[in-house]
Amino acid sequence: MDEIPLGKYRHYKGNQYEVVGFAKHSETLEDMVIYKALYGEGGIWVRPLSMWGELVEIDGEAVRRFEYVGDKTETARQDELNEALRSIESTLSKCEKALTKLREGTSQHTLTARRIEAFRIAVTLIKEKLELLR
């Protein structure tokens, strides 16, 4: 049970759960994982430890049934991501303004356009990560 940290996990089908503890089955003494759904009504569930970490096959690819996505101290990571998001959005805005002043076909115009696209991708990825951490 030591190899499974408490915290948030994403099920291979997409829903998120939080491992809140461990137990033993009263009849078989099998190790169990106690976890809570982080969606809907937030029900409490139990699953055999042996199933928790197993691999399942999805579209011919082996993936973990539950993937660890963080612990209960995600606030610091969320703060860092929010700060990065603010910084990137500010720089993106400045690049978009600068692009209108650059002549098309110049290397500066091309470079700035590529930077804008990269910043937009970064903003999307950071927002997706923040949503997963919620």
Side-chain angles (χ1 to χ4, degrees), residues 54-120:
E54 72 184 357
L55 298 175
V56 294
E57 189 172 320
I58 305 298
D59 297 327
E61 183 182 344
V63 298
R64 294 217 171 272
R65 181 181 299 276
F66 291 94
E67 179 186 351
Y68 182 71
V69 295
D71 60 24
K72 293 182 181 182
T73 61
E74 292 296 332
T75 304
R77 186 180 301 172
Q78 287 175 340
D79 290 346
E80 289 174 356
L81 286 171
N82 280 316
E83 181 58 34
L85 184 61
R86 280 189 292 276
S87 178
I88 291 171
E89 287 177 329
S90 173
T91 305
L92 174 59
S93 176
K94 291 173 186 173
C95 285
E96 289 170 336
K97 289 176 185 173
L99 187 65
T100 64
K101 298 175 184 175
L102 298 172
R103 195 173 77 240
E104 278 192 58
T106 64
S107 60
Q108 293 89 354
H109 185 276
T110 302
L111 179 60
T112 302
R114 288 181 180 161
R115 284 180 176 160
I116 289 170
E117 183 58 27
F119 287 137
R120 286 181 179 156

Side-chain angles (χ1 to χ4, degrees), residues 4 33 47-55 63-66:
I4 296 180
V33 178
R47 176 181 295 267
L49 177 68
S50 61
M51 289 180 67
W52 187 267
E54 72 184 357
L55 298 175
V63 298
R64 294 217 171 272
R65 181 181 299 276
F66 291 94

Side-chain angles (χ1 to χ4, degrees), residues 115-133:
R115 284 180 176 160
I116 289 170
E117 183 58 27
F119 287 137
R120 286 181 179 156
I121 291 168
V123 165
T124 299
L125 293 173
I126 291 171
K127 286 180 177 179
E128 288 174 2
K129 182 65 175 181
L130 283 167
E131 189 59 35
L132 288 175
L133 293 173

